[in-house]
């Protein structure tokens, strides 16, 4: 084996040891912290989508957002401020738009970058006993100071 190959494999080994050591010490990596916020976001949304959700369930989602949060969905009207989106959640909840038909949000794939996660997901719905897995949808999450600063929908 050449010296370059030995150095490469030694570096790779040391990086994996450091990663395992961090996990064993209970330290979250940057990627872990972004994933934790993302998982919480989807868990809280699933709760809101249920027929018995409460206004405080919506508030819990918005606790994950920065003050200047933006939601961008070109197919459904463009750019929404934090307040616009909050009012939309409230309106849907009051009008019965959250009826429990969404039973899960299936994460198909994720790419975690520096302060961003690209997600491919599908909504799982159940109506009249029939479970349907929806089409894959792409969403980009951007983070700042441990909170979601922007969501850009690509579907």
């Amino acid at each position: 084996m050449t010296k370059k190959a030995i150095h490469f494999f030694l570096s790779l080994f040391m990086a994996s040891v450091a990663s395992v050591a961090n996990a064993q010490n209970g330290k979250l990596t940057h990627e872990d912290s972004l994933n934790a916020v993302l998982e919480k976001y989807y868990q809280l949304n699933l709760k809101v989508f249920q027929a018995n959700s409460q206004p405080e369930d919506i508030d819990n989602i918005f606790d994950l957002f920065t003050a200047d949060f933006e939601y961008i969905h070109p197919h459904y009207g463009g750019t929404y401020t934090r307040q616009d989106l909050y009012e939309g959640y409230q309106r849907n909840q009051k009008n019965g738009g959250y009826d429990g038909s969404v039973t899960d949000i299936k994460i198909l794939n994720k790419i975690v970058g520096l302060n961003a996660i690209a997600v491919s997901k599908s909504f799982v719905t159940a109506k009249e006993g029939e479970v349907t897995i929806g089409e894959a949808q792409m969403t980009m999450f951007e983070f700042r100071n441990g909170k979601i600063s922007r969501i850009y929908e690509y579907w």
Side-chain angles (χ1 to χ4, degrees):
M1 214 185 274
T2 68
K3 277 190 173 187
K4 282 186 180 182
I6 291 171
H7 280 86
F8 172 76
F9 287 114
L10 185 57
S11 297
L12 189 61
F13 173 74
M14 294 305 289
S16 68
V17 168
S19 178
V20 170
N22 276 342
Q24 289 175 346
N25 289 333
K27 293 181 182 176
L28 288 178
T29 65
H30 180 69
E31 182 176 334
D32 292 335
S33 64
L34 296 181
N35 275 316
V37 173
L38 181 74
E39 288 175 28
K40 188 75 168 171
Y41 170 80
Y42 281 126
Q43 289 169 356
L44 292 171
N45 268 279
L46 192 56
K47 187 173 184 180
V48 166
F49 294 161
Q50 304 315 300
N52 61 350
S53 67
Q54 301 297 312
E56 55 268 15
D57 297 325
I58 295 170
D59 294 341
N60 292 335
I61 294 171
F62 281 75
D63 287 344
L64 300 175
F65 298 157
T66 60
D68 61 345
F69 168 82
E70 285 185 312
Y71 179 80
I72 303 167
H73 200 318
H75 187 73
Y76 289 106
T79 301
Y80 299 88
T81 66
R82 186 179 203 273
Q83 188 63 34
D84 292 335
L85 190 62
Y86 185 77
E87 290 169 2
Y89 268 86
Q90 288 180 319
R91 188 172 42 257
N92 286 340
Q93 191 176 57
K94 286 178 187 172
N95 295 339
Y98 303 132
D99 60 4
S101 61
V102 175
T103 60
D104 197 7
I105 302 167
K106 186 177 179 110
I107 304 298
L108 306 172
N109 196 13
K110 291 188 287 189
I111 300 173
V112 181
L114 181 62
N115 294 318
I117 302 178
V119 176
S120 175
K121 65 157 182 330
S122 291
F123 288 104
V124 179
T125 58
K127 289 185 183 178
E128 300 174 11
E130 185 178 330
V131 175
T132 304
I133 299 174
E135 289 186 28
Q137 301 170 336
M138 180 182 166
T139 304
M140 174 70 80
F141 291 83
E142 294 178 14
F143 300 84
R144 188 171 59 249
N145 299 323
K147 293 193 170 211
I148 301 169
S149 60
R150 179 179 294 147
I151 298 174
Y152 198 113
E153 301 284 9
Y154 290 91
W155 52 274

